Amino acid sequence: MNVVSWRHLLLLVLLATATLANAADEAGRPRVALILGGGGARGAAHIGVLEVLEKLRVPVDCVAGTSMGALVAGVYAGGVSPAKMREELAKADWDDLFQDTPPYFQRTFRNKVQDRRYLPASETGVGPDGLRYQSGIVTGQKIKLFFNELVGDHLGQRRIEDLPLPLSIIATDIVLGKQVVFRSGSLSSAMRASMSVPGLMSPVEIDGQKLVDGGLVNNVPIDEARSRCQADIAIAVNVGSPLLKADEIGSLLSVSAQMVNILTEQNVVRSLATLKPTDIYIKPDLEGITAGDFKRTSETADRGVAATEALADRLRPLAVSEAAYAAWSGKIQLARREAPTVDEIQIAGLKRVNPAMVEQHLGIKPGDAISPASINSDLMKVYGDGYYEGVDYSLDNTVRERNILRVTPLEKSWGPNYLRYGISLDSNFDSNSSYTLRLAYQKTWLNHLGGEFLVSGEIGSVNRVGMDYYQPVDERQRYFVETNLAYGSQMSSVYQNDNKLAEYRVDRGVAKLGGGINLGTLGQVRAGWEENWWDTKLDVGSPFLPALSKRYGGWFAQADLDRTDRLYFPTTGWFSRLSYFDSAAEGFSKLNATAGVYASIGDWVLNSRVSYQGSPIGQLPIYDSGSLGGVFNMTAFAPGQLKGDDMTYGSLRAERIIGRLPLGLRGDMRLGLMLEAAKVGTPYTETELKGWINSTAIYLGGETPLGPIYFGYGYSTSGSTGGYSNLYLLLGVP
């Protein structure tokens, strides 16, 4: 026998020995089930548990999870290592994930306009059966896309039944109040359903069932795991939140949380009662970590490590050899491969919305490979159109060996007709306080091109009614025609040397007919004809300005561009707005132009803004003059205190972020300093203010469920007397 033959024989012997050793390990060890309970952010402790099991070489035969435990269990069964899981959860921006809306610059111009006038969270559906509402604070759009990326859905939809490690995910049928167990179907969808905390996240509809957090019925699913793989030993990990103490219950949110905790605790007690002496129970010390502490995932995982290492002596008998563990681990790991090339793209599930509206946002084309970051960005742009409660995708490679990218927008169940609300309170704690309540009824998708009709009204310091009809002329809504009618009345104050001399009642009607171009998410340009009706009458005080009635018309053009990341309290981006009106019959034109830029450095946000109001042709008449005054518009002065022609304004703001609102709520809290300057070429009021006028303001602001809130003080040293000042409070939509 030659040397080569001997080497072959030796190799065969070694392979046979390793195989027999692995088989012996498998034959001699008990079947192990791993159970990962729910607990919100506290569930990151499960990662630490998995890290220790990996270190000790303890394989498991099946895994079951609920809520956050379902997330960790699903990702683990999907072949992601504990180390990679820790990395991905730690770097995730959980504040952003719990906000459905895309960055402000990715929203359409029409949505931006609606957000400026009405509270984004106020949208209420109107249907034949009455009013309908979104079923959670967030729909979970970004969370679902995050789950897709975690489990590798861009490589082809991961299905539970195809995973090498048997998996069970627990959810609750909110209609029937019963447990739903996922042993098959979309992995990421089952994970999302199991994490739908009632009230916070909208239920997930799968196979006609409305599903929410599985913790309501089975937070530590021991029995399900045993039956899943006929396990001899159960390793159960409980990370549930303890019941709140009496002094911790003081709000509606805390009461709701306590109700969920009570339901969860009851079923956990029942589950734990089924543990056998041979089972292993792990309860990490998570004192001080709440269900919402997602920014502390690494610390929480470390506590899972500590709790599991404390039970190492009980776990070691379940260990297998290095070879056997390597074979088991290799079997469940997610195979590394190139992203597949898309052969076909399908838009599925739409009933009202034209598919072209979805297609225009998709950068991927047949022949391209899927990039998770790119497809997620595209779908967020689709979501930003405002017509959907969710936009998802799947990659199907089961039909004729072709990769079909199926985009599935889910139209709002509470649409397509809506009520919208807004509130505004503006006070300087003097005689200039105003309030306004707003209400609008919007009908969308009146035809296949996306026609919309809006009726709006305001009551309070401003009384106004309006009607708008918007009609796109192509499927992608690049071009449109629009008509606007509005009539309203409000009070306008006249000042001299910081003294209010009079108040005029101003009645105004406006009719516009025009058309324009939508520039994607960048903005919009439009032009058309505008007709105005003015009627001013002295209400109280001295007749400083003449009463008059006026009708005039002219051509208008507008451009509105916005690349800021938020409507209120932006951190980055820029904007510019330009409007021009020319009334040849009256011999004047009016130019309004403003631009601003935002930049952030750590917790500091810097902003600069400039604006101009004036008449390039002729002079602005008193009935259509420029105006300055009010918050962030020469803050030391009352709203409209400065009136005139040829008005130039500039400001610099520096804001320090001093706090952030909790998950599910947008925005942050800021302390700011602002320097302002303005020059009125031809003043109609405050005529003693010559040249450049200054204003300095300090303020505290943040975003609330009712809109932004600002509280601050503005002061100016301008004028012969100086001492112009304004203490102000602003709440709601400006």
Side-chain angles (χ1 to χ4, degrees):
M1 185 176 294
N2 58 35
V3 175
V4 175
S5 299
W6 277 108
R7 288 177 177 175
H8 286 166
L9 180 60
L10 180 60
L11 180 61
L12 289 173
V13 170
L14 291 174
L15 289 173
T17 302
T19 302
L20 291 172
N22 290 344
D25 275 346
E26 289 292 320
R29 74 174 184 88
R31 298 183 64 79
V32 178
L34 178 64
I35 301 98
L36 306 180
R42 293 160 63 94
H46 296 314
I47 300 173
V49 174
L50 295 175
E51 289 174 339
V52 177
L53 293 181
E54 182 179 70
K55 179 182 177 181
L56 297 176
R57 303 193 306 273
V58 176
V60 299
D61 297 279
C62 63
V63 59
T66 299
S67 195
M68 189 65 175
L71 166 63
V72 176
V75 176
Y76 186 58
V80 178
S81 69
K84 182 66 174 178
M85 207 183 305
R86 177 191 281 258
E87 177 187 343
E88 293 297 323
L89 293 188
K91 72 180 185 182
D93 186 348
W94 291 94
D95 286 330
D96 182 64
L97 289 177
F98 278 93
Q99 294 182 30
D100 291 319
T101 54
Y104 189 63
F105 64 80
Q106 289 187 340
R107 294 177 62 77
T108 65
F109 174 79
R110 290 190 60 79
N111 280 328
K112 291 175 181 177
V113 170
Q114 298 296 340
D115 289 349
R116 291 172 192 168
R117 295 196 60 80
Y118 307 102
L119 298 175
S122 71
E123 183 182 270
T124 302
V126 181
D129 53 347
L131 301 181
R132 296 178 291 184
Y133 305 91
Q134 181 175 312
S135 52
I137 296 176
V138 296
T139 64
Q141 170 65 24
K142 292 180 181 178
I143 290 174
K144 180 57 168 65
L145 295 180
F146 177 59
F147 289 176
N148 291 352
E149 189 170 351
L150 276 179
V151 303
D153 268 352
H154 64 286
L155 302 175
Q157 188 180 54
R158 309 295 306 281
R159 300 189 64 82
I160 297 174
E161 64 269 29
D162 297 331
L163 301 177
L165 183 62
L167 170 69
S168 297
I169 288 177
I170 310 300
T172 302
D173 186 325
I174 193 64
V175 176
L176 301 178
K178 68 176 185 179
Q179 173 177 285
V180 175
V181 181
F182 287 97
R183 291 186 174 185
S184 62
S186 167
L187 173 58
S188 58
S189 294
M191 290 159 52
R192 166 67 181 86
S194 186
M195 288 190 65
S196 298
V197 180
L200 175 61
M201 299 175 65
S202 296
V204 175
E205 187 165 338
I206 300 177
D207 297 333
Q209 300 172 302
K210 288 187 178 295
L211 305 177
V212 298
D213 197 320
L216 297 178
V217 291
N218 199 351
N219 202 47
V220 186
I222 297 171
D223 287 347
E224 164 58 26
R226 286 193 201 278
S227 63
R228 184 76 169 96
C229 59
Q230 289 73 54
D232 302 302
I233 294 177
I235 302 174
V237 188
N238 180 16
V239 295
S241 299
L243 295 177
L244 299 175
K245 300 179 176 63
D247 60 354
E248 297 174 322
I249 303 175
S251 67
L252 179 61
L253 187 62
S254 63
V255 171
S256 299
Q258 185 76 332
M259 292 172 62
V260 173
N261 289 343
I262 291 172
L263 291 173
T264 301
E265 185 64 21
Q266 289 175 346
N267 68 66
V268 168
V269 171
R270 291 193 297 269
S271 292
L272 297 181
T274 67
L275 289 173
K276 304 174 182 177
T278 53
D279 296 328
I280 299 172
Y281 177 57
I282 303 174
K283 186 174 176 57
D285 180 7
L286 300 176
E287 181 70 27
I289 296 177
T290 70
D293 282 334
F294 286 95
K295 294 182 179 181
R296 300 170 66 182
T297 54
S298 290
E299 176 191 348
T300 308
D302 289 341
R303 298 202 192 185
V305 169
T308 311
E309 286 181 340
L311 296 170
D313 290 342
R314 295 198 60 193
L315 291 167
R316 285 193 183 94
L318 304 177
V320 298
S321 67
E322 290 187 12
Y325 190 81
W328 175 86
S329 181
K331 190 170 59 176
I332 70 167
Q333 285 180 357
L334 178 63
R336 296 183 178 274
R337 59 188 179 92
E338 296 292 328
T341 298
V342 175
D343 297 305
E344 182 182 349
I345 300 173
Q346 297 179 355
I347 312 298
L350 292 176
K351 299 177 181 177
R352 296 181 295 268
V353 179
N354 196 310
M357 292 293 295
V358 178
E359 294 168 353
Q360 69 177 332
H361 295 300
L362 300 180
I364 190 169
K365 306 298 179 186
D368 294 343
I370 292 182
S371 162
S374 295
I375 190 67
N376 288 353
S377 176
D378 290 347
L379 295 192
M380 287 307 300
K381 293 176 184 177
V382 175
Y383 185 83
D385 282 345
Y387 305 126
Y388 320 101
E389 56 184 283
V391 185
D392 205 356
Y393 76 93
S394 62
L395 186 65
D396 187 356
N397 55 11
T398 62
V399 180
R400 304 186 303 278
E401 297 184 352
R402 290 169 56 82
N403 292 317
I404 299 174
L405 176 63
R406 190 168 289 111
V407 179
T408 52
L410 178 63
E411 295 172 351
K412 290 178 176 177
S413 57
W414 58 95
N417 305 320
Y418 310 97
L419 290 177
R420 301 182 185 274
Y421 313 92
I423 183 174
S424 177
L425 173 65
D426 188 350
S427 175
N428 66 354
F429 302 94
D430 196 357
S431 58
N432 288 286
S433 297
S434 64
Y435 71 92
T436 303
L437 299 176
R438 298 184 182 131
L439 175 66
Y441 173 64
Q442 182 184 26
K443 292 181 69 68
T444 68
W445 287 98
L446 298 174
N447 48 57
H448 77 287
L449 295 178
E452 294 185 7
F453 179 71
L454 180 76
V455 179
S456 61
E458 300 181 18
I459 188 171
S461 301
V462 177
N463 297 298
R464 177 186 174 275
V465 293
M467 182 174 63
D468 304 274
Y469 183 75
Y470 167 81
Q471 180 58 61
V473 297
D474 66 305
E475 289 186 335
R476 297 193 173 189
Q477 298 191 3
R478 291 168 292 189
Y479 308 100
F480 66 91
V481 294
E482 186 171 12
T483 182
N484 314 99
L485 300 172
Y487 181 82
S489 66
Q490 66 183 91
M491 304 305 295
S492 179
S493 301
V494 178
Y495 288 80
Q496 184 66 33
N497 300 330
D498 205 26
N499 298 315
K500 184 188 291 187
L501 299 181
E503 279 195 342
Y504 283 76
R505 180 183 182 90
V506 180
D507 297 328
R508 185 186 182 189
V510 180
K512 291 183 178 181
L513 177 63
I517 304 172
N518 288 313
L519 305 175
T521 58
L522 177 60
Q524 185 187 87
V525 295
R526 62 169 62 196
W529 181 266
E530 177 181 328
E531 199 75 23
N532 290 269
W533 296 265
W534 283 85
D535 185 63
T536 62
K537 295 179 180 177
L538 179 67
D539 188 69
V540 294
S542 303
F544 186 80
L545 299 175
L548 56 86
S549 295
K550 194 71 178 179
R551 175 182 175 179
Y552 61 100
W555 294 101
F556 75 89
Q558 297 175 221
D560 195 321
L561 309 177
D562 197 326
R563 297 293 291 175
T564 54
D565 61 342
R566 301 182 192 172
L567 172 57
Y568 305 113
F569 301 96
T571 58
T572 60
W574 60 270
F575 70 90
S576 68
R577 300 183 183 103
L578 177 70
S579 67
Y580 185 78
F581 174 79
D582 183 83
S583 180
E586 297 296 315
F588 81 96
S589 63
K590 184 175 185 179
L591 175 65
N592 276 306
T594 184
V597 62
Y598 293 86
S600 61
I601 305 173
D603 287 334
W604 285 93
V605 179
L606 306 178
N607 165 244
S608 175
R609 180 168 71 91
V610 294
S611 68
Y612 174 80
Q613 304 171 73
S615 180
I617 300 173
Q619 181 176 304
L620 292 181
I622 189 68
Y623 53 81
D624 203 2
S625 63
S627 175
L628 288 171
V631 179
F632 301 159
N633 202 37
M634 296 302 288
T635 309
F637 300 85
Q641 186 170 345
L642 304 174
K643 292 183 174 70
D645 181 31
D646 195 34
M647 310 180 72
T648 305
Y649 169 88
S651 69
L652 293 172
R653 291 162 56 185
E655 299 175 335
R656 171 80 175 185
I657 299 174
I658 59 175
R660 301 185 186 276
L661 296 179
L663 294 176
L665 299 177
R666 59 181 63 84
D668 44 45
M669 301 298 296
R670 300 184 186 181
L671 180 65
L673 173 68
M674 178 168 54
L675 304 177
E676 302 173 280
K679 184 178 182 181
V680 184
T682 304
Y684 299 151
T685 62
E686 294 289 1
T687 54
E688 68 111 13
L689 294 174
K690 306 295 185 181
W692 285 99
I693 309 166
N694 65 68
S695 173
T696 302
I698 186 170
Y699 58 92
L700 181 68
E703 192 163 354
T704 75
L706 294 178
I709 184 171
Y710 299 93
F711 178 74
Y713 176 76
Y715 185 81
S716 174
T717 61
S718 298
S720 59
T721 59
Y724 290 86
S725 64
N726 188 25
L727 181 68
Y728 62 88
L729 172 67
L730 175 63
L731 172 65
V733 183

